[in-house]
Amino acid sequence: MKRLLEPTEDVVVNLLRLANTKLPADIGWALEAAAGWETGEIARTQLGAIMENVKKAEHLGIPMCQDTGIPVFYVRGRFDSSIASKIAEGVRKATASIPLRPNTVDPLTRENQGSNLGDGMPVIHYIPADVDYTEITVLPKGAGSENMTRLAMLNPADGVEGVRRFVIDSVLDAGGRPCPPSIVGVGIGGTSDRCVEMAKEALLAPLDSDNPDPVLAKMEEDLFSALNSSGLGPMGLGGSTTVLGVRIRKACCHTASLPVAVNIGCWATRRASARITSDGVEYSQGAVL
Amino acid sequence: MRTLRTPLSEDLVRSLRLGETVYLYGPVVTGRDEMHIRALKLSGEGSPVPSGIEGSVLYHCGPIMRQNGDGSWSVVAAGPTTSARMNKLEPEMIRRFRIRAIIGKGGMSKDVAEAMREVGCVYLAATGGAAVSLADGLGACKGAEWLDLGMPEAMWRFEADRLGPLIVAMDSEGGSLYERVAESLVRDRRGLPARPLSGRRGRPGR
Ligand code: SF4
């Protein structure tokens, strides 16, 4: 879908609308595949309700989930410092026009300005790159799944087995709260802050793309089958579909550290990107950073 | 599958079995943390609480609402929120207001289950995130209380019109699907072959 050049604010509104009303195709396919193998009656009811809901939301052009989340932005390529205020303005417009639920509050007074803006919001990550476009990606993150985020500074001696156990425990302890079947984002290594960032970035990799690192690809397969053998199931009500996918990113770390972070994405892991070039804007939902 | 008309009688609630699928018709109110806190505070002070809480079906939900030109409200999206956040407040809420059913996601604590057993109340699991379908099922908005709490935290009144599917996940005898699942949870099975994931492009769902 290519459009003529639009003001960045409007691109952000379009992005938020696309992300909130249309589930990325790869997640839709994973849900269909799950409905194919799932045998439990309650689990099948849950998957059926999710898929029907996704269809209705897309058809009616309204958000698939009432928790339209906190929008997390990734800006990659060429940009200047004015982009932050343009994105903020887009969020304000989108909140009123789509509409999005006003979720953003002061952490202590809990005061809600009603616009999804406020100190430090929205969250924007900047990735400068020597290309001739600006790419804005949004990942609206609901609280049900975000609240299950975990970071562990493991002992290097805990090794791969320690990482594996931590991921399994984090997902199973979360139970039905992050609306499983979920997508599990894992960050391994880096510093504590980078590790948590990677876990969230991992959710931007489509489920049908291969992890370029064969070791991580194997870990993803292993965790996928271990988690789906757990019996937790859709909404934590039992079944063989606990996760739709596991995506891992890693970075090098201190020789005395082994950081691991888990960021769970619910079935409604929403994402959309816009690539802005000199002759137009192209929207897509197959984000990878 | 059963269709039920609200308000629910204690007898009816006690006849609901774990794992049953139900659909609701009739009055339903929403409430999250702040609504619980205010209702309990007012009633603790002996002040009146809005009608519709006593004997209600209480939906843990912060909907997206749209105000129409004539001042009335329509529901846009309304899936369940995580019920565990209300674990501390719910036992008192159930006892004080004879709540007959709670709709939410993720289940609730043993203390809540105990209050449910005492009073005659069930926990109905709604599909998390199925906000458009559930908004359809909530039907017409019959007004709101405490809008100063903000859109998600206000208490909204609805006249449900086939709200569901809802699964009886905690019954009025202390039974819980979540506990059953937790008891049989397999934490660490090694060496299983990956599931055969047939997909249209590559292998979706890894
Ligand atoms: S966890 Fe996801 S699907 Fe569930 S309510 Fe939150 S945003 Fe919606």
Side-chain angles (χ1 to χ4, degrees):
Chain A
M1 173 168 49
K2 196 152 189 158
R3 301 197 196 173
L4 290 180
L5 206 50
E6 298 161 310
T8 306
E9 294 85 331
D10 294 348
V11 172
V12 170
V13 175
N14 292 336
L15 269 180
L16 283 164
R17 179 173 289 117
L18 177 60
N20 275 292
T21 58
K22 192 166 180 272
L23 194 68
D26 55 290
I27 302 177
W29 293 332
L31 283 167
E32 273 174 35
W37 79 57
E38 186 63 72
T39 52
E41 199 195 312
I42 294 175
R44 292 181 64 87
T45 304
Q46 301 308 309
L47 292 173
I50 291 171
M51 291 193 291
E52 191 193 306
N53 183 72
V54 168
K55 260 192 224 136
K56 276 190 190 165
E58 186 177 344
H59 177 70
L60 298 170
I62 53 183
M64 65 188 82
C65 180
Q66 81 290 341
D67 187 353
T68 48
I70 291 284
V72 180
F73 289 93
Y74 298 87
V75 180
R76 197 174 68 88
R78 282 178 186 248
F79 46 86
D80 64 51
S81 59
S82 71
I83 195 139
S85 59
K86 289 177 183 160
I87 290 178
E89 197 42 44
V91 169
R92 179 196 305 283
K93 273 191 173 177
T95 301
S97 66
I98 295 178
L100 304 177
R101 197 173 67 178
N103 286 324
T104 308
V105 301
D106 180 280
L108 299 178
T109 65
R110 312 307 291 179
E111 189 194 329
N112 192 330
Q113 294 184 18
S115 58
N116 278 318
L117 297 178
D119 286 348
M121 285 287 159
V123 173
I124 308 175
H125 298 275
Y126 298 97
I127 309 156
D130 196 13
V131 291
D132 60 357
Y133 55 80
T134 313
E135 193 171 74
I136 307 178
T137 296
V138 68
L139 177 74
K141 201 65 176 48
S145 56
E146 182 75 355
N147 285 349
M148 301 298 116
T149 306
R150 277 198 193 171
L151 167 72
M153 302 304 281
L154 296 182
N155 205 318
D158 296 332
V160 175
E161 203 40 46
V163 170
R164 183 176 190 276
R165 195 155 301 154
F166 178 70
V167 174
I168 290 175
D169 285 348
S170 299
V171 175
L172 298 188
D173 292 348
R177 286 175 285 178
C179 290
S182 46
I183 298 166
V184 186
V186 181
I188 305 175
T191 46
S192 59
D193 50 339
R194 184 67 196 119
C195 189
V196 177
E197 274 178 9
M198 285 192 297
K200 183 165 286 167
E201 286 166 12
L203 297 177
L204 291 172
L207 297 173
D208 55 351
S209 67
D210 287 319
N211 195 315
D213 181 327
V215 174
L216 298 185
K218 221 165 163 276
M219 281 180 84
E220 289 176 351
E221 296 253 7
D222 168 53
L223 283 164
F224 178 81
S225 66
L227 288 166
N228 281 339
S229 307
S230 68
L232 183 66
M235 300 302 143
L237 294 168
S240 50
T241 319
T242 300
V243 299
L244 296 174
V246 179
R247 306 306 337 226
I248 309 178
R249 289 184 80 132
K250 74 166 184 174
C252 289
C253 61
H254 193 289
T255 180
S257 297
L258 176 50
V260 193
V262 173
N263 189 263
I264 300 181
C266 48
W267 66 259
T269 294
R270 293 147 284 184
R271 59 174 125 84
S273 309
R275 185 173 287 195
I276 308 168
T277 60
S278 54
D279 57 12
V281 186
E282 205 165 339
Y283 292 91
S284 77
Q285 292 191 279
V288 250
L289 279 188
Chain B
M1 197 263 277
R2 270 163 94 173
T3 55
L4 309 175
R5 192 152 276 289
T6 68
L8 307 173
S9 71
E10 182 178 347
D11 284 351
L12 179 90
V13 164
R14 293 206 184 269
S15 76
L16 292 173
R17 294 287 152 256
L18 218 52
E20 247 185 294
T21 303
V22 302
Y23 287 86
L24 299 185
Y25 292 82
V28 169
V29 298
T30 67
R32 301 172 32 127
D33 320 44
E34 302 288 342
M35 177 271 195
H36 284 67
I37 292 167
R38 189 167 290 184
L40 289 171
K41 181 165 174 278
L42 286 176
S43 103
E45 292 166 348
S47 308
V49 294
S51 65
I53 300 181
E54 181 75 31
S56 65
V57 172
L58 173 58
Y59 185 13
H60 290 160
C61 168
I64 301 180
M65 302 294 297
R66 195 197 290 271
Q67 192 157 27
N68 306 313
D70 62 1
S72 66
W73 293 88
S74 303
V75 59
V76 177
T81 192
T82 300
S83 298
R85 280 206 323 278
M86 275 65 78
N87 274 342
K88 287 218 175 71
L89 303 160
E90 210 68 82
E92 205 186 334
M93 194 81 183
I94 293 173
R95 290 192 178 102
R96 206 171 291 180
F97 301 110
R98 324 299 290 171
I99 308 288
R100 289 286 169 231
I102 289 165
I103 306 173
K105 67 162 168 137
M108 302 196 77
S109 68
K110 281 220 161 65
D111 291 347
V112 179
E114 178 51 32
M116 284 172 40
R117 203 185 51 75
E118 242 175 77
V119 171
C121 174
V122 287
Y123 182 87
L124 304 172
T127 305
V132 182
S133 301
L134 291 163
D136 260 4
L138 275 176
C141 176
K142 297 289 178 189
E145 302 284 343
W146 302 335
L147 276 169
D148 61 299
L149 296 175
M151 188 194 285
E153 302 286 343
M155 169 182 154
W156 297 93
R157 287 199 185 82
F158 291 99
E159 185 71 20
D161 184 16
R162 201 167 192 274
L163 178 62
L166 306 172
I167 310 281
V168 181
M170 293 168 71
D171 64 19
S172 58
E173 284 163 15
S176 161
L177 274 187
Y178 301 100
E179 238 168 63
R180 273 196 205 170
V181 170
E183 276 159 16
S184 57
L185 211 58
V186 179
R187 282 245 160 205
D188 205 5
R189 218 143 101 201
R190 288 239 67 159
L192 280 171
R195 284 194 178 274
L197 297 180
S198 56
R200 285 186 214 150
R201 215 175 67 186
R203 290 163 298 170
R206 172 142 44 77

